Amino acid sequence: MIIPLKDEMDLEATLDGGQSFRWSSKDLEWWSGYIENNPIKIRSVLEKEQMNIEVDLNYVDIPIEMDSVTKYLNIDFDVGKMNKRLMEYREFRPYLKTMPKFRLLKQDPWETLISFMLSAQSNIPKIKKNIQSLSYESNNIVTAYGNVFYKFPTAERIYDVGEKKLRDLGMGFRSKNVYTVAGVVMRGEIDLYSLDGMDYSNAREILMELPGVGPKIADCVLAFSLDHQTAFPVDRWVARGINSMYPQTVDFTLDKLSQWGRDKFGSSASYAQQIFFHTQRWGL
DNA sequence: TCCCAGGGGAGTT
DNA sequence: AACTCCCATGGG
């Protein structure tokens, strides 16, 4: 299956740049992961000047909806227009020039919420390990061509697994909050799927009522799954990037930096945040 | 205001 | 090899 792109898309920067934790690649060409919780393998190819996303149809024997891939990868997002907009920030230009072209993903908000709750006071390899352990407990596997795939667990399943088991799996002090939030979602006390249509600050407040969800984690969920592009998640890496480029911000708290980013970049904030994160974490 | 809660990465000794 | 610090959140 071939899906045409209007502009190039660097899959490493998009899928393994801190937005998502279940993608991997052995050759940095083909990427294996999940879209709508179904295993999938994709690459980006340039063919006769035309850029495409190619889906490996021999990876699993599950029918793949082109629309779900298009949506997840935010294929219709106009990267050229965004880069042009950000070029107006003079100090940003060197970063933009070297930053590979990426997309803000539209992931499943449930999986994104739990993933970023697990990111608190952690690091990317450990988050990936936690999510893998969690998926092994999902009781929801797919087998295809001799391979076994573990889907991300539902709220009901995480609630059934229980806090103690989560602790045994290595989630540490996050276990209690993950368990509690699974209960809240299971009972329908929050509707994560309605947050994309809500205005940014309301949606953020609702997420922050959940235990274990502070401003940074709420912003990650809003930016990387719910298409709230004004969200500006600030962790240590992003803070360092901003502080070095804008010395007047060195004394700002993380949440104040988040406000600063929204004021400065407006609807380009999430995109700009990815550039700060990427350049700070992996260099120019 | 400081200290703590898993555990893994990264840098230093 | 053995240390030390780091890390977003919330509680004491």
Side-chain angles (χ1 to χ4, degrees), chain A residues 38 59 63 90 93 119 125 127 196 204 215 222 255 273 275:
Chain A
N38 290 314
Y59 185 55
R90 209 158 41 91
R93 287 180 195 172
S119 80
I127 301 163
D196 59 347
R204 191 179 197 241
L222 293 169
D255 199 29
Q273 184 272 0
I275 294 172

Side-chain angles (χ1 to χ4, degrees), chain A residues 41-256:
Chain A
K41 189 171 176 180
I42 58 175
R43 67 172 171 175
S44 63
V45 281
L46 181 63
E47 204 174 330
K48 293 176 191 162
E49 316 249 322
Q50 171 60 48
M51 287 159 289
N52 297 308
I53 291 292
E54 182 183 349
V55 179
D56 181 359
L57 294 175
N58 296 315
Y59 185 55
V60 287
D61 48 3
I62 301 169
I64 288 160
E65 297 288 332
M66 183 134 87
D67 284 353
S68 64
V69 179
T70 302
K71 185 195 166 197
Y72 179 95
L73 291 174
N74 209 348
I75 276 175
D76 295 330
F77 183 81
D78 195 335
V79 181
K81 196 169 147 194
M82 175 59 76
N83 283 342
K84 205 169 173 184
R85 227 191 295 172
L86 286 173
M87 281 293 269
E88 289 176 23
Y89 298 84
R90 209 158 41 91
E91 66 283 359
F92 226 78
R93 287 180 195 172
Y95 289 74
L96 278 172
K97 285 213 173 73
T98 52
M99 180 72 197
K101 299 229 173 107
F102 67 97
R103 300 290 192 283
L104 292 166
L105 296 172
K106 295 183 189 171
Q107 304 179 77
D108 175 66
W110 161 246
E111 176 178 335
T112 309
L113 173 62
I114 295 300
S115 298
F116 280 97
M117 286 182 68
L118 292 171
S119 80
Q121 182 76 3
S122 193
N123 54 67
I124 291 175
K126 182 162 185 265
I127 301 163
K128 287 182 175 177
K129 208 178 151 218
N130 283 164
I131 293 171
Q132 196 176 36
S133 311
L134 199 52
S135 300
Y136 287 157
E137 297 297 320
S138 71
N139 270 4
N140 196 350
I141 63 167
V142 179
T143 56
Y145 308 123
N147 294 317
V148 182
F149 302 94
Y150 299 84
K151 295 196 173 202
F152 192 83
T154 61
E156 289 78 5
R157 179 59 193 158
I158 292 181
Y159 189 80
D160 285 346
V161 164
E163 182 185 337
K164 184 183 177 301
K165 179 74 180 175
L166 295 174
R167 210 168 273 278
D168 293 344
L169 291 173
M171 323 272 159
F173 61 90
R174 305 160 199 84
S175 305
K176 185 175 189 188
N177 293 331
V178 168
Y179 169 73
T180 304
V181 167
V184 169
V185 171
M186 176 186 75
R187 291 187 295 272
E189 293 165 16
I190 183 173
D191 180 8
L192 297 171
Y193 298 89
S194 70
L195 298 177
D196 59 347
M198 209 172 279
D199 74 71
Y200 164 75
S201 40
N202 279 346
R204 191 179 197 241
E205 273 175 32
I206 288 171
L207 284 171
M208 284 177 65
E209 283 171 18
L210 299 169
V213 180
K216 189 268 177 184
I217 291 174
D219 277 336
C220 285
V221 176
L222 293 169
F224 307 144
S225 74
L226 292 165
D227 201 27
H228 276 279
Q229 294 177 39
T230 52
F232 194 74
V234 180
D235 62 5
R236 285 287 147 194
W237 295 97
V238 172
R240 273 183 214 125
I242 298 169
N243 290 161
S244 66
M245 208 190 303
Y246 304 93
Q248 71 273 22
T249 64
V250 286
D251 295 326
F252 290 12
T253 61
L254 296 189
D255 199 29
K256 191 170 175 192

